[in-house]
Amino acid sequence: MSAKTAKHIAIYGKGGIGKSTTTSNIAAALAEAGHRVIQIGCDPKSDSTTILRGGNDLPTVLDTLREHSKVKLEDISLVGFKNILCIEAGGPVPGVGCAGRGITAAVELLRELHLFEQYEADYVLYDVLGDVVCGGFAVPIRDGLAQRAYVVTSSDFMAIFAANNLFKAVAKYAPSGGARLGGVIANGLIAPYAKRLVDDFVDRTGTHVVGYVPRSLVVNQSELYGKTVIEAAPETDQAEIYRGLARHIVENEEVTIPRPLNGPELKAWAREWGDRIFSVEAGEIREQEAI
Amino acid sequence: MSTSYIERSRGSCALHGALATFGAIEGVVPVIHATSGCGVQYQQGVTQFGGAIPACAAWGNPLSSSNITEKHVVFGGGSRLREQLKNTIKLLQGDLYVVVTGCSTEMVGDDIPAMTKEGREQGWPVIYANTPGFRGSIHRGYELAVHALIEQLPGIPGPELPPEPGLVNLLGIIPQQDPFWQGHLLGLERIFEAAGLTANPLLGLGHGIDRWRRLPQAALTVVTSPWGRDGAQLLEEKYGTPWVELHGIPVGARATGALLDALAERLPVDAARLAAYRQTQESWFERNLVRIAPQYYAGGFQQEFALVGESGFVPGAAEFLVETLGLIPKLIVITDPLAEETRDAWAQPLQSLVDTFKAKLAFAEDAGEIDDLLRASHAELIIGSSLDRPVADELHASFLPVSFPVANRLVLNRGYAGYEGGLAFIEDLGSALLRGRSIKLI
Ligand SMILES: Nc1ncnc2c1ncn2[C@@H]1O[C@H](COP(=O)(O)OP(=O)(O)O)[C@@H](O)[C@H]1O
Ligand SMILES: [Mg+2]
């Protein structure tokens, strides 16, 4: 694809689960370790790269495409922390238009602009809105664009549901050259049963967790400074955790095709966990060991 | 097999059905909200092979289309449509503007009802029909157009219309998809008029939206194909208008007589006048039959035939060919996409004819399948669409194109409905059968 073959990595997850935060910190850790990185936000929210560029303005690809017929790379990118090239695909106003087609159009434009060759990136990270809501959002994993996909999840059922949907998309497209799964990133687990629930889910689906990112105030604080943890609090444990994730991505290239649960299986699995959590809450069984 | 014959489709999509329908009402201006190809395909495809075109497709009558591009798909095409509607109203004179949508704008979810409501608030007479091609065939498009008019036209201010007693709505004939649509409507109009009733044909030359405004006044709705049912049911729901369903248009004296009986049963008609009319017409029809006798026998009219066409025509035509003309059915194919239950209901009146002659009755849309059926039938005469011509040539069968698409005939007001329609059918048929004959001097 490029003179220097970039590794394209897509990070999916339900809205608000911490995709952009996690992706940006991974990007920052990769850049800090000397890699050239591009981060592309594929989410109409257009805030994927905010903490990489200190909150500086960045027109989205689609807004620019709407206003101008000819688009230059300079118009739609901004160099952020440690030379990370930041891009936001953007999207329509909520409730109108088709965000999925928007992602497709934006990615097509980036290809036409020879972005990947020109910037000679080592890593291209796609931060993609979670649920694989339609074909458009599957573009990064579908068209041989990204080789690897990761999914960010918590122990919330809706986050797991979105992860399972992504598994379905990966399983569907992988045989025809689509991306495979790098693994699951567990973010912000708090509940006592959370880790076991996520672990059980990855077991059932033939995948694995590549890192547990604890919920941390440092993240919120850094966000308020408009920075990643890597930039704002490089000495913290949290920064080290993101560096660990980045290392994992660099060092472990093995990928899997997940075995998503079908509708009834997922429902039964969730019920089972509902019962177990209820037992804990009711104090019938001793915490931790019970699950 | 079916995939390799896709280009030989016997019908276009819902958008085109709606365009054909709205376009056949004088003063109605359709505004297409879709990519440019949707309108172009209609104007260059459908209008070529479906007989006389509706007014909107006439030369010099531009077809308005928002011609959306990717930008409008991504961000929504609402503002493009608003602009297009405004310009259309400025440029094209109309009594009613109808926004019809294509697949792309429906996928994106452009809020068409809100856009047209906005227009009405500015005093524009504008309604809409959601007609993406994926909603179904051209027939579905007809249904959607009729539905939209029944539902939304009452919301457009219009003149007070004096009641028209004995008014009968006609539904089920789809402009262009029935190449004889105009003639069929005219034929039915004539029958109703003779019965002392007034047909409300809703479509065709000379009929504008006032015809549609009169819908609630009608005493009855007559439906001539399954595609008229949806509208008839809606009229019954809204205005309590009863409806009857004919199995296709009546062709010739027998079926027309049966229709007159049905009308007399349901509506207060002048029985004496009706009887007199029937008698004159029937005797006139009979005497005309006698007049073709020499050619009938010399030309060997009593042939084994295959009939391929839509539900609105095939039953009436088959009955006429067999019962009145004495031809022998080998194969009858109904090509429009009917629901399973509807198929059964429409097969029923053809059953005795099929049984008697051990003919085959099939429901098929696929040209490849129809080709195979035709070959297997060994018919000597094929009455179908121009798609069936190659097999007719192969079988050295006589050929008469009557169903969409019709490539080699110019059809204006010709039609096969009623007494005169029956005679017209005989003329066309005879001409097809005599095509190879040359003059031998004795
Ligand atoms: N590990 C964490 N600890 C604390 N807050 C977090 C953590 N991960 C994400 N957040 C916060 O959660 C919110 C949503 O995260 P974000 O990355 O924008 O989600 P997404 O991109 O998936 O929609 C942000 O305010 C972010 O700071
Ligand atoms: Mg985000």
Side-chain angles (χ1 to χ4, degrees), chain A residues 14-21 45 187 213-216 219-220 223 238:
Chain A
K14 165 189 165 312
I17 205 66
K19 292 181 297 293
S20 301
T21 311
K45 251 197 322 182
N187 186 41
V213 182
R215 176 157 283 278
S216 158
V219 174
N220 306 110
E223 184 183 34
Q238 192 75 10

Short mmCIF file of all heavy atoms in Angstrom, two decimals, chain A residues 14-21 45 187 213-216 219-220 223 238, ligand 1:
data_model
loop_
_atom_site.label_atom_id
_atom_site.label_comp_id
_atom_site.label_asym_id
_atom_site.label_seq_id
_atom_site.Cartn_x
_atom_site.Cartn_y
_atom_site.Cartn_z
N LYS A 14 -18.52 0.51 21.57
CA LYS A 14 -19.77 1.26 21.75
C LYS A 14 -19.45 2.73 22.06
O LYS A 14 -18.38 3.03 22.60
CB LYS A 14 -20.48 0.60 22.93
CG LYS A 14 -21.61 1.35 23.55
CD LYS A 14 -22.00 0.61 24.82
CE LYS A 14 -22.88 1.38 25.77
NZ LYS A 14 -22.59 2.71 26.14
N GLY A 15 -20.35 3.62 21.72
CA GLY A 15 -20.17 5.04 21.98
C GLY A 15 -19.93 5.29 23.47
O GLY A 15 -20.57 4.69 24.32
N GLY A 16 -18.97 6.17 23.79
CA GLY A 16 -18.72 6.56 25.18
C GLY A 16 -17.93 5.56 25.99
O GLY A 16 -17.71 5.75 27.18
N ILE A 17 -17.48 4.49 25.36
CA ILE A 17 -16.83 3.42 26.10
C ILE A 17 -15.35 3.74 26.36
O ILE A 17 -14.71 3.12 27.21
CB ILE A 17 -16.99 2.07 25.35
CG1 ILE A 17 -16.89 0.90 26.33
CG2 ILE A 17 -16.00 1.91 24.22
CD1 ILE A 17 -18.02 0.85 27.32
N GLY A 18 -14.82 4.71 25.63
CA GLY A 18 -13.41 5.09 25.81
C GLY A 18 -12.53 4.79 24.62
O GLY A 18 -11.30 4.74 24.75
N LYS A 19 -13.12 4.65 23.44
CA LYS A 19 -12.34 4.38 22.22
C LYS A 19 -11.35 5.49 21.94
O LYS A 19 -10.18 5.24 21.72
CB LYS A 19 -13.25 4.30 20.98
CG LYS A 19 -14.18 3.16 20.89
CD LYS A 19 -14.98 3.22 19.60
CE LYS A 19 -15.87 4.45 19.48
NZ LYS A 19 -16.97 4.49 20.45
N SER A 20 -11.86 6.72 21.90
CA SER A 20 -11.00 7.83 21.50
C SER A 20 -9.90 8.05 22.52
O SER A 20 -8.74 8.28 22.15
CB SER A 20 -11.84 9.10 21.33
OG SER A 20 -12.83 8.87 20.36
N THR A 21 -10.24 7.97 23.78
CA THR A 21 -9.25 8.13 24.84
C THR A 21 -8.18 7.06 24.71
O THR A 21 -6.97 7.35 24.72
CB THR A 21 -9.94 7.99 26.21
OG1 THR A 21 -11.10 8.83 26.23
CG2 THR A 21 -9.01 8.36 27.34
N LYS A 45 -19.03 12.10 15.69
CA LYS A 45 -18.78 12.98 16.84
C LYS A 45 -17.55 13.86 16.61
O LYS A 45 -17.41 14.93 17.19
CB LYS A 45 -18.57 12.13 18.10
CG LYS A 45 -19.73 12.24 19.07
CD LYS A 45 -19.42 11.77 20.50
CE LYS A 45 -18.55 10.57 20.66
NZ LYS A 45 -18.32 10.12 22.02
N ASN A 187 -11.86 -1.69 29.30
CA ASN A 187 -11.64 -0.33 29.80
C ASN A 187 -12.57 0.00 30.96
O ASN A 187 -13.77 -0.25 30.89
CB ASN A 187 -11.86 0.68 28.68
CG ASN A 187 -11.49 2.10 29.10
OD1 ASN A 187 -10.49 2.31 29.79
ND2 ASN A 187 -12.30 3.06 28.70
N VAL A 213 -7.55 -1.64 31.20
CA VAL A 213 -7.25 -0.24 31.50
C VAL A 213 -8.15 0.18 32.65
O VAL A 213 -9.37 0.23 32.48
CB VAL A 213 -7.49 0.66 30.27
CG1 VAL A 213 -7.12 2.10 30.59
CG2 VAL A 213 -6.73 0.15 29.06
N PRO A 214 -7.58 0.46 33.81
CA PRO A 214 -8.45 0.83 34.94
C PRO A 214 -9.08 2.20 34.75
O PRO A 214 -8.55 3.03 34.00
CB PRO A 214 -7.50 0.83 36.13
CG PRO A 214 -6.12 0.89 35.58
CD PRO A 214 -6.16 0.44 34.16
N ARG A 215 -10.20 2.38 35.38
CA ARG A 215 -10.80 3.72 35.41
C ARG A 215 -9.89 4.58 36.28
O ARG A 215 -9.49 4.14 37.36
CB ARG A 215 -12.19 3.60 36.04
CG ARG A 215 -12.91 4.89 36.25
CD ARG A 215 -14.41 4.67 36.32
NE ARG A 215 -14.96 4.48 34.98
CZ ARG A 215 -15.27 5.46 34.15
NH1 ARG A 215 -15.08 6.73 34.52
NH2 ARG A 215 -15.74 5.21 32.96
N SER A 216 -9.54 5.77 35.78
CA SER A 216 -8.59 6.57 36.54
C SER A 216 -8.88 8.06 36.39
O SER A 216 -9.21 8.54 35.31
CB SER A 216 -7.16 6.27 36.05
OG SER A 216 -6.30 7.33 36.35
N VAL A 219 -7.01 10.16 33.76
CA VAL A 219 -7.57 10.26 32.41
C VAL A 219 -8.45 11.50 32.30
O VAL A 219 -8.32 12.29 31.36
CB VAL A 219 -8.38 8.99 32.07
CG1 VAL A 219 -9.08 9.14 30.72
CG2 VAL A 219 -7.48 7.76 32.08
N ASN A 220 -9.32 11.66 33.28
CA ASN A 220 -10.24 12.80 33.25
C ASN A 220 -9.49 14.12 33.36
O ASN A 220 -9.79 15.08 32.67
CB ASN A 220 -11.25 12.69 34.39
CG ASN A 220 -11.97 11.35 34.36
OD1 ASN A 220 -11.77 10.50 35.22
ND2 ASN A 220 -12.77 11.16 33.31
N GLU A 223 -7.70 14.86 30.15
CA GLU A 223 -8.69 15.27 29.15
C GLU A 223 -9.03 16.75 29.32
O GLU A 223 -9.15 17.49 28.34
CB GLU A 223 -9.95 14.41 29.30
CG GLU A 223 -11.00 14.69 28.23
CD GLU A 223 -12.27 13.88 28.43
OE1 GLU A 223 -12.65 13.63 29.59
OE2 GLU A 223 -12.88 13.50 27.42
N GLN A 238 -1.06 4.88 34.95
CA GLN A 238 -2.01 4.85 33.83
C GLN A 238 -1.27 4.99 32.51
O GLN A 238 -1.55 4.27 31.55
CB GLN A 238 -3.04 5.99 34.01
CG GLN A 238 -4.23 5.90 33.08
CD GLN A 238 -5.24 4.81 33.49
OE1 GLN A 238 -5.14 4.24 34.58
NE2 GLN A 238 -6.19 4.50 32.63
N1 LIG C 1 -10.01 4.56 31.77
C1 LIG C 1 -10.70 5.66 31.94
N2 LIG C 1 -10.77 6.27 33.11
C2 LIG C 1 -11.51 7.37 33.28
N3 LIG C 1 -12.22 7.97 32.33
C3 LIG C 1 -12.19 7.42 31.12
C4 LIG C 1 -11.46 6.25 30.85
N4 LIG C 1 -11.63 5.95 29.53
C5 LIG C 1 -12.45 6.90 29.02
N5 LIG C 1 -12.78 7.78 29.97
C6 LIG C 1 -13.65 8.93 29.81
O1 LIG C 1 -14.87 8.52 29.26
C7 LIG C 1 -15.40 9.51 28.38
C8 LIG C 1 -15.72 8.89 27.06
O2 LIG C 1 -14.52 8.44 26.45
P1 LIG C 1 -14.27 8.53 24.89
O3 LIG C 1 -12.90 8.06 24.66
O4 LIG C 1 -14.62 9.86 24.34
O5 LIG C 1 -15.32 7.46 24.38
P2 LIG C 1 -15.70 7.02 22.91
O6 LIG C 1 -14.65 7.54 22.01
O7 LIG C 1 -15.75 5.54 22.95
O8 LIG C 1 -17.04 7.60 22.63
C9 LIG C 1 -14.35 10.59 28.28
O9 LIG C 1 -14.73 11.67 29.09
C10 LIG C 1 -13.10 9.92 28.79
O10 LIG C 1 -12.23 10.84 29.45
#
